């Protein structure tokens, strides 16, 4: 089928791939965007006579294939796979790579749901995990065990915006015979391409910047090499947590504008960071674009810009909660990466599941997902909430 054909090798510009990869005109009608193939099964021309390789939509569906080809191309991988959510993608990856007795290193400030997956699902299955500060390369090296199968990286992290050096951690992982997995949700492939830096698998909650419009839940895995991609594809089908056709279509549509959105998210975030660093009610601003951020130099090397996520600490938990409840344009809500700006209190919202664990986040922390609205309106709203 035409839409399965990857882009011509000459075409490598990010926006071109985002708009065209996996998305040749529909062979049946010439439709310039892939149709939503809302179908579960396919007519066979005789037993085993499949048209375009499709037999049942858990195994493959043309709309999902278009997204999967596009994901692989924009991350620079051999194989892309689309799932029903970021956590479904993570679960499939852990089941495909790990067996009881194995060990995984996770960030000591991992996304709360990722932590919960390891603590409450993988650990009871027999896969041990250790949280480590991934911005400290030597601490990661010291945490490696003979049974370590994965070093799991988020960079920037959710919600503390710590930075890990992907290239250095890839060397440690490979010396140990482990895989380097990078959750690239916060940066997106427009700002950071982990596979180019030595990672083996990229994970996404496509719910966030990839979808970009707060209207779809989805996840993705992109494997650097074909053999690992096959293994992950087997688990995608065997476990069945696939993206449905409409969700795949929405995500594909979001990806077309990823580049211009990320530029604007980053530019708006920089304006907001500048205001927050001068505001007397704000104790500290966490943003990798700030020269004083401990991960700034690494971020500047591996990211094209510093993204739309900004966290800051107030003087107390009460003040943090108060700011979250006083904004009018920044909507109080979980999730991130949409065109509209969001504000949240990680300790009581997205990261509540990490309470009482080593991954508990500070109560005075506020997290912003800076949208692409007019920056002046965003600044005005935050100032009135802080004053
Ligand atoms: C960094 C990160 N990874 C993974 C996930 C999980 O993705 P989903 O909510 O799509 O299952 C999230 C969700 O917030 C996230 O922020």
């Amino acid at each position: 089928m035409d839409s399965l054909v990857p882009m011509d090798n000459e075409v490598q510009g990010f926006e071109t791939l985002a708009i065209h990869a996996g998305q040749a005109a529909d062979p049946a009608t010439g439709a310039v965007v892939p149709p939503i193939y809302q179908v579960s099964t396919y007519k066979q021309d005789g037993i085993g006579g499949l048209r375009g390789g499709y037999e049942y939509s858990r195994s493959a569906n043309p709309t999902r294939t278009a997204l999967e080809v596009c994901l692989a191309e924009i991350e620079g991988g051999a194989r892309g796979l689309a799932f029903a959510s970021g956590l479904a993608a993570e679960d499939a990856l852990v089941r495909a790579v790990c067996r009881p007795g194995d060990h995984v290193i996770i960030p000591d400030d991992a996304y709360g749901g990722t932590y919960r997956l390891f603590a409450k699902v993988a650990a009871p299955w027999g896969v041990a995990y250790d949280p480590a500060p991934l911005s400290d390369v030597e601490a990661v090296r010291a945490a490696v065990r003979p049974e370590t199968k994965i070093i799991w990286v988020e960079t920037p992290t959710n919600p503390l915006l710590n930075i890990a050096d992907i290239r250095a951690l890839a060397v440690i992982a490979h010396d140990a015979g482990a895989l380097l997995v990078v959750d690239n949700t916060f940066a997106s492939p427009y700002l950071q391409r982990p596979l180019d830096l030595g990672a083996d698998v990229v994970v996404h909650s496509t719910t966030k910047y990839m979808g970009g419009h707060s209207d779809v839940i989805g996840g993705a895995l992109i494997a650097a090499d074909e053999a690992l991609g096959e293994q992950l594809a087997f688990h995608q089908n065997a476990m069945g947590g696939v993206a449905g056709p409409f969700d795949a279509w929405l995500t594909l549509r979001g990806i077309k504008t990823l580049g211009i959105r990320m530029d604007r998210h980053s530019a708006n975030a920089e304006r907001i960071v500048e205001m927050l660093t001068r505001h007397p009610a704000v104790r500290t601003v966490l943003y990798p674009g700030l020269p004083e951020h401990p991960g700034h130099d690494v971020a500047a090397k591996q990211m094209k810009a510093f993204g739309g996520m900004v966290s800051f600490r107030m003087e107390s938990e009460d003040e943090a909660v108060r700011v979250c409840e006083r904004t009018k344009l920044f909507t109080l809500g979980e999730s991130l990466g949409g065109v509209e700006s969001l504000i949240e209190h990680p300790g009581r919202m997205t990261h509540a599941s990490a309470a009482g664990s080593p991954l508990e986040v500070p109560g005075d922390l506020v997290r912003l997902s800076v949208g692409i609205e007019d920056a002046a309106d965003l600044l005005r709203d935050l100032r009135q909430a802080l004053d």
Side-chain angles (χ1 to χ4, degrees):
M1 176 159 196
D2 279 0
S3 64
L4 284 176
V5 178
M7 293 296 297
D8 177 334
N9 282 342
E10 297 286 301
V11 173
Q12 289 176 355
F14 184 89
E15 284 91 345
T16 314
L17 291 172
I19 292 168
H20 294 288
Q23 301 166 73
D26 179 50
T29 63
V32 296
V33 286
I36 305 166
Y37 281 91
Q38 193 68 43
V39 60
S40 62
T41 192
Y42 304 80
K43 179 181 188 302
Q44 304 193 10
D45 297 324
I47 294 169
L50 306 181
R51 301 184 195 177
Y54 295 101
E55 58 184 352
Y56 184 59
S57 283
R58 171 164 38 73
S59 313
N61 169 282
T63 316
R64 194 175 92 223
T65 302
L67 171 60
E68 292 181 333
V69 171
C70 185
L71 287 166
E73 295 274 333
I74 61 177
E75 281 286 5
R79 185 79 182 258
L81 297 162
F83 291 82
S85 70
L87 282 173
E90 294 186 18
D91 190 32
L93 173 58
V94 173
R95 306 278 180 172
V97 171
C98 298
R99 291 292 169 270
D102 289 343
H103 172 252
V104 173
I105 297 172
I106 63 168
D108 65 358
D109 61 343
Y111 163 62
T114 299
Y115 172 68
R116 184 177 54 203
L117 181 73
F118 283 105
K120 302 278 167 65
V121 180
W125 182 47
V127 174
Y129 68 95
D130 274 315
L134 293 196
S135 47
D136 179 346
V137 173
E138 291 316 313
V140 178
R141 201 190 302 278
V144 170
R145 297 196 211 157
E147 319 81 71
T148 303
K149 281 285 175 328
I150 294 178
I151 298 179
W152 188 288
V153 175
E154 268 180 47
T155 183
T157 57
N158 180 5
L160 294 174
L161 297 164
N162 285 320
I163 297 294
D165 185 333
I166 298 172
R167 204 183 278 283
L169 294 179
V171 173
I172 295 179
H174 296 156
D175 284 351
L179 297 180
L180 190 80
V181 170
V182 177
D183 183 333
N184 203 24
T185 299
F186 267 37
S188 89
Y190 179 69
L191 297 184
Q192 172 174 281
R193 296 232 307 184
L195 302 181
D196 294 348
L197 300 168
D200 301 287
V201 183
V202 164
V203 176
H204 277 282
S205 170
T206 54
T207 312
K208 311 294 164 22
Y209 287 107
M210 301 280 244
H213 296 76
S214 305
D215 54 12
V216 60
I217 299 282
L221 298 177
I222 298 98
D225 77 74
E226 194 50 61
L228 181 57
E230 257 321 296
Q231 197 183 337
L232 298 174
F234 172 82
H235 277 76
Q236 181 196 39
N237 182 47
M239 294 172 69
V242 295
F246 185 46
D247 288 355
W249 185 88
L250 281 171
T251 307
L252 206 46
R253 171 162 142 152
I255 288 172
K256 288 178 195 289
T257 54
L258 182 64
I260 53 172
R261 284 189 286 108
M262 292 313 293
D263 281 338
R264 178 66 173 252
H265 283 296
S266 302
N268 278 359
E270 280 174 23
R271 298 269 307 270
I272 284 167
V273 164
E274 195 189 357
M275 183 277 283
L276 291 174
T277 50
R278 289 164 198 221
H279 200 286
V282 175
R283 190 150 62 91
T284 331
V285 181
L286 310 175
Y287 187 65
L290 285 169
E292 61 270 28
H293 185 289
H296 176 72
D297 291 347
V298 173
K301 256 192 322 190
Q302 68 189 19
M303 297 176 77
K304 187 171 168 184
F306 302 102
M309 298 304 296
V310 177
S311 293
F312 58 97
R313 297 183 69 172
M314 300 292 291
E315 291 296 342
S316 68
E317 178 156 355
D318 282 351
E319 283 182 43
V321 169
R322 195 174 141 267
V323 173
C324 291
E325 290 177 346
R326 279 173 54 104
T327 54
K328 295 174 182 152
L329 187 52
F330 277 84
T331 303
L332 179 62
E334 305 205 353
S335 200
L336 60 108
V339 291
E340 63 288 299
S341 293
L342 299 175
I343 189 166
E344 70 125 358
H345 185 268
R348 295 192 189 177
M349 294 171 65
T350 48
H351 291 65
S353 63
S357 80
L359 280 81
E360 183 168 331
V361 295
D364 55 19
L365 189 74
V366 175
R367 190 190 78 180
L368 303 177
S369 171
V370 179
I372 63 171
E373 300 96 333
D374 189 312
D377 292 326
L378 296 177
L379 288 167
R380 196 175 314 112
D381 186 41
L382 274 180
R383 277 200 206 97
Q384 68 76 29
L386 286 163
D387 287 346

